[in-house]
Amino acid sequence: VDIANIGFFSWDIPANRVEVSEHMIEDWGLSPIETLESCIERIHPDDRGRVIGLIQESIVNKSEYRAEYRVVRPDGKILDIKAKGRVHCGVQGEPVRFVGTSMDVSELKNLLRERDAALAALTTTHEELKQSEAELQEEKLLREHFVSTLCHDLRTPMTAVKLCIHFAQRITQRSDGLPAKLKETLARADRSASRTIEMITDLLDVSRIRAVEGIVLDLTDINISDTVSDALSELEILHAGRFKKD
């Protein structure tokens, strides 16, 4: 009898005669009549000892037999089998027949293996993404630390440069006969030093923003005409002939 792709077997224990249904004949590659030993030979060698132990345990304890194992067909194809059975005893309690079912669950097992492989791949990808995120975060912190350190190191000498310019400007203010061009050059140098310090401060502010420390904004009005004029004046000095104010 075959019901819903479930094969049936009946083992006459005293006669060692196993009758199998059409579905088991197809799945296992058996004849309609077999011995227990010829059926056991179809079971994968790695599973064989365990299945024999479960059959013996069911007979001794008169308990239900449940097993999952692999069957190797004569053509070499391996099937995943799920089996159930129970021993039937005679009037004196002796085991006389062992009957049960065999179902090919290879497709289900393959789906489960594919699912497990996909889950393992997703887990690996997730761990790799977490590792990449941690590395990127570490790289970001190192970069921000580098920028912060660089800005601090630059601001100290620039402050000294500005002090030297102020000192030179005081000397020119007390001295007569010095070229007006020298005073103008010192003034421009002072403005350039101030802007450089401001840029360094801006870089530090950006570093603090990225570090989510926050900054206090100091908004002031500027004269854009004066700013552009100062920039053109410096460009005229650095690149004579290329930039001229009207």
Side-chain angles (χ1 to χ4, degrees), residues 32 126 202 245:
H126 178 66
D202 290 342
K245 294 188 294 182

Side-chain angles (χ1 to χ4, degrees), residues 145-201:
H145 178 71
F146 171 77
V147 171
S148 178
T149 302
L150 179 64
C151 290
H152 281 294
D153 291 345
L154 286 174
R155 187 159 59 176
T156 300
M158 284 307 303
T159 302
V161 168
K162 190 169 177 63
L163 289 174
C164 290
I165 293 173
H166 285 176
F167 182 73
Q169 286 177 319
R170 286 189 177 185
I171 294 176
T172 57
Q173 290 172 357
R174 297 173 182 174
S175 302
D176 297 328
L178 291 177
K181 193 71 172 178
L182 176 59
K183 294 182 180 180
E184 183 181 349
T185 300
L186 287 174
R188 288 173 178 168
D190 181 56
R191 290 194 296 271
S192 296
S194 296
R195 280 197 294 273
T196 301
I197 293 174
E198 288 175 1
M199 285 190 293
I200 293 172
T201 301

Side-chain angles (χ1 to χ4, degrees), residues 26 30 63 68 71 78 181 203:
E26 181 180 348
L30 296 171
S63 59
E68 291 189 19
V71 165
I78 297 177
K181 193 71 172 178
L203 284 173

Side-chain angles (χ1 to χ4, degrees), residues 4-246:
N5 293 328
I6 299 177
F8 173 83
F9 65 88
S10 177
W11 173 33
D12 183 341
I13 297 176
N16 193 21
R17 174 189 171 95
V18 181
E19 298 180 31
V20 298
S21 66
E22 289 294 330
H23 198 72
M24 281 194 66
I25 292 173
E26 181 180 348
D27 282 351
W28 290 54
L30 296 171
S31 300
I33 305 296
E34 296 280 355
T35 64
L36 179 64
E37 290 74 19
S38 62
C39 294
I40 293 294
E41 286 179 359
R42 287 281 190 269
I43 297 176
H44 194 284
D46 293 344
D47 301 336
R48 197 173 295 160
R50 176 173 55 83
V51 174
I52 293 173
L54 290 172
I55 293 173
Q56 292 173 342
E57 180 182 344
S58 176
I59 293 173
V60 171
N61 298 329
K62 297 181 177 59
S63 59
E64 185 180 24
Y65 160 74
R66 290 175 177 268
E68 291 189 19
Y69 48 86
R70 292 162 293 175
V71 165
V72 183
R73 290 170 45 87
D75 59 7
K77 183 179 179 180
I78 297 177
L79 303 180
D80 289 289
I81 298 295
K82 184 174 184 178
K84 291 182 180 182
R86 182 175 290 276
V87 64
H88 293 265
C89 300
V91 293
Q92 297 181 356
E94 76 281 10
V96 295
R97 188 171 295 276
F98 195 95
V99 297
T101 58
S102 169
M103 182 170 61
D104 179 9
V105 293
S106 302
E107 185 176 352
L108 175 61
K109 288 285 188 180
N110 289 334
L111 289 174
L112 291 175
R113 281 190 280 267
E114 291 175 3
R115 180 205 63 181
D116 292 342
L119 288 175
L122 285 174
T123 301
T124 300
T125 302
H126 178 66
E127 294 299 326
E128 290 175 350
L129 287 174
K130 286 176 61 178
Q131 179 65 25
S132 298
E133 183 181 1
E135 291 174 356
L136 288 172
Q137 184 64 21
E138 182 179 1
E139 181 182 346
K140 176 185 175 182
L141 292 174
L142 289 174
R143 184 173 62 250
E144 299 300 336
H145 178 71
F146 171 77
V147 171
S148 178
T149 302
L150 179 64
C151 290
H152 281 294
D153 291 345
L154 286 174
R155 187 159 59 176
T156 300
M158 284 307 303
T159 302
V161 168
K162 190 169 177 63
L163 289 174
C164 290
I165 293 173
H166 285 176
F167 182 73
Q169 286 177 319
R170 286 189 177 185
I171 294 176
T172 57
Q173 290 172 357
R174 297 173 182 174
S175 302
D176 297 328
L178 291 177
K181 193 71 172 178
L182 176 59
K183 294 182 180 180
E184 183 181 349
T185 300
L186 287 174
R188 288 173 178 168
D190 181 56
R191 290 194 296 271
S192 296
S194 296
R195 280 197 294 273
T196 301
I197 293 174
E198 288 175 1
M199 285 190 293
I200 293 172
T201 301
D202 290 342
L203 284 173
L204 283 172
D205 288 341
V206 171
S207 178
R208 293 191 188 99
I209 292 172
R210 289 179 176 176
V212 199
E213 294 180 6
I215 60 171
V216 178
L217 296 179
D218 182 16
L219 303 179
T220 58
D221 295 329
I222 64 168
N223 188 319
I224 190 66
S225 177
D226 292 342
T227 302
V228 173
S229 178
D230 291 341
L232 289 174
S233 297
E234 292 185 10
L235 289 172
E236 185 179 359
I237 294 174
L238 294 174
H239 306 281
R242 295 179 59 188
F243 296 91
K244 293 182 178 180
K245 294 188 294 182
D246 293 334

